[in-house]
Amino acid sequence: MEQAVAECMSVLGAVTDRDWEGVRAGRLEWDCRTTAVHIAEDLIAYAGQLAGREQDGYAPFELSLEEGTDNAGAVRVIGAMGALLAAAVRTTPREVRAFHPYPFRSANREGFAAMGVVEVLLHTHDIAEGLGLSYEPAPELCDFVLPRIFPHVQPGPTPWPTLLWATGRGELAGRAPVTEWRWNNNLVIGTERLTLQGVTPAAATDLSTVGDGGFEWIEGGPIEGTRVGAGLVYKQYEDGVHRPEWGMYVLVRREDGRAIGAMGFHSVPDGTGRVEIGYDLVEGARGHGYATEALRALSAWALGRQEVRTVVATVERDNVPSQNVLARAGFTQVAEDPEHLTYELRESRVG
């Protein structure tokens, strides 16, 4: 956040003597001055959402500059609002989520940081384009936002042109132009004792190697099954077939905010409405009903979607505890082979 704002201030601060009100900002309908104020408005709005722990809508305030504020003053305000958002992100616990409408009505501190960075990058680009300036942000800034709030966008050869294409501001070889876009904060599904937190491609990359994915795990976690699943999520992202809500979720206990396992879908629902689910728990979390509780919630969410008719799970013959989890969650065994048993939960069973 701080780096993005510093780069913005450097670029815009060098041309504050120019006429910003008489020049359109790139492809926007706004002029450059209005766009600069909009950057500051977004930054303080996001800071307010996080700091106020807003849950049901935007905090009812707006930013206005004092009458007579020149362009240099507007740039100073961008810097101040960026500092406030950075402070809010830095001091907000990772479990806190605040209201943002797209697409699941909430975002955590990482999501708000990524949205703030995107606002700065894109609108600095818009202003620079309008004023005929050269601007390209540091690649690591684009690398930060793309796998966090654009999980549905296949990575391109270089991050900045990919971000511009994904937001309707540029072309990318082999891809159709983008005319409408939204960013995508991760989905969180709550149960009585858990939150099932959607894993972004950024977190999946970390989890698939030796990292914790940004979660605080109980002793022994994450286990190998979680790392393998995370690797599959990132592979789908690289291939451009990842659909965030049909990926992996980390199971986090409400009582202490610690991760205890993972659950997720192998892929998007097929043409017949079938989707396969899998899960694992760290050993220290087993025997407390967490897997059953999470499976009921995630299966119910899936069956509530129009494209799903059946949730399927396959378990090894000798994995009796997992078979018991499926039975308690309402699944019925429908098939078997020498090594595996197949269970299903159908649409009519929900409710």
Side-chain angles (χ1 to χ4, degrees):
M1 186 72 258
E2 291 165 338
Q3 181 181 353
V5 169
E7 290 185 8
C8 167
M9 295 180 69
S10 176
V11 171
L12 301 186
V15 291
T16 55
D17 58 336
R18 302 267 297 272
D19 175 18
W20 288 12
E21 294 184 349
V23 179
R24 181 173 170 178
R27 305 183 187 190
L28 303 182
E29 296 298 327
W30 299 332
D31 61 44
C32 291
R33 167 72 175 205
T34 301
T35 305
V37 174
H38 176 75
I39 295 173
E41 289 173 336
D42 279 336
L43 296 177
I44 190 59
Y46 293 160
Q49 293 302 101
L50 275 179
R53 309 292 196 259
E54 296 291 333
Q55 297 299 307
D56 300 320
Y58 286 114
F61 73 94
E62 60 182 26
L63 174 74
S64 63
L65 273 59
E66 288 186 352
E67 186 175 351
T69 299
D70 60 10
N71 292 336
V75 172
R76 286 171 49 205
V77 173
I78 290 173
M81 299 306 100
L84 288 175
L85 177 53
V89 169
R90 188 173 288 118
T91 56
T92 298
R94 73 161 309 279
E95 291 304 304
V96 169
R97 298 185 72 84
F99 175 82
H100 188 276
Y102 306 116
F104 303 117
R105 297 184 62 80
S106 72
N108 61 10
R109 64 187 184 187
E110 195 171 74
F112 276 106
M115 291 187 290
V117 170
V118 169
E119 293 285 359
V120 173
L121 300 188
L122 295 183
H123 291 316
T124 302
H125 162 79
D126 296 333
I127 296 170
E129 188 173 59
L131 295 174
L133 306 174
S134 175
Y135 168 72
E136 181 170 341
E140 60 266 26
L141 295 174
C142 305
D143 283 333
F144 172 74
V145 302
L146 283 167
R148 285 173 172 80
I149 57 173
F150 293 92
H152 51 295
V153 173
Q154 183 179 19
T158 49
W160 178 230
T162 301
L163 181 60
L164 290 177
W165 169 81
T167 57
R169 288 171 167 82
E171 298 179 354
L172 209 57
R175 303 194 193 184
V178 172
T179 57
E180 294 183 0
W181 63 275
R182 296 285 189 193
W183 41 53
N184 196 310
N185 283 289
N186 62 325
L187 173 63
V188 172
I189 299 170
T191 72
E192 181 180 356
R193 297 180 296 166
L194 304 169
T195 56
L196 284 62
Q197 302 186 15
V199 172
T200 66
T205 304
D206 192 44
L207 277 171
S208 67
T209 53
V210 296
D212 57 17
F215 299 91
E216 182 181 352
W217 291 82
I218 64 172
E219 185 176 356
I223 62 177
E224 184 62 20
T226 295
R227 295 203 186 280
V228 171
L232 294 175
V233 168
Y234 191 74
K235 179 64 166 58
Q236 291 175 343
Y237 170 65
E238 284 189 315
D239 292 343
V241 296
H242 177 55
R243 297 298 175 264
E245 61 267 42
W246 299 110
M248 171 185 281
Y249 296 79
V250 166
L251 314 183
V252 178
R253 288 193 305 217
R254 290 183 184 273
E255 66 181 32
D256 58 6
R258 303 187 71 184
I260 61 171
M263 182 173 290
F265 303 102
H266 293 190
S267 64
V268 298
D270 67 18
T272 68
R274 290 168 62 89
V275 65
E276 186 169 358
I277 199 168
Y279 50 88
D280 57 38
L281 285 184
V282 179
E283 186 174 354
R286 296 171 187 170
H288 300 281
Y290 291 128
T292 301
E293 185 174 327
L295 184 57
R296 286 172 177 161
L298 192 55
S299 298
W301 176 85
L303 288 168
R305 300 289 294 262
Q306 185 175 1
E307 62 266 42
V308 176
R309 297 292 176 266
T310 309
V311 180
V312 181
T314 302
V315 296
E316 296 176 349
R317 273 188 172 276
D318 58 357
N319 191 346
V320 176
S322 186
Q323 295 167 29
N324 291 337
V325 167
L326 288 164
R328 287 193 295 268
F331 284 69
T332 302
Q333 183 186 334
V334 296
E336 60 182 291
D337 62 33
E339 296 182 353
H340 298 93
L341 304 178
T342 300
Y343 289 75
E344 289 184 351
L345 182 65
R346 294 181 176 275
E347 184 180 27
S348 60
R349 295 287 303 270
V350 173

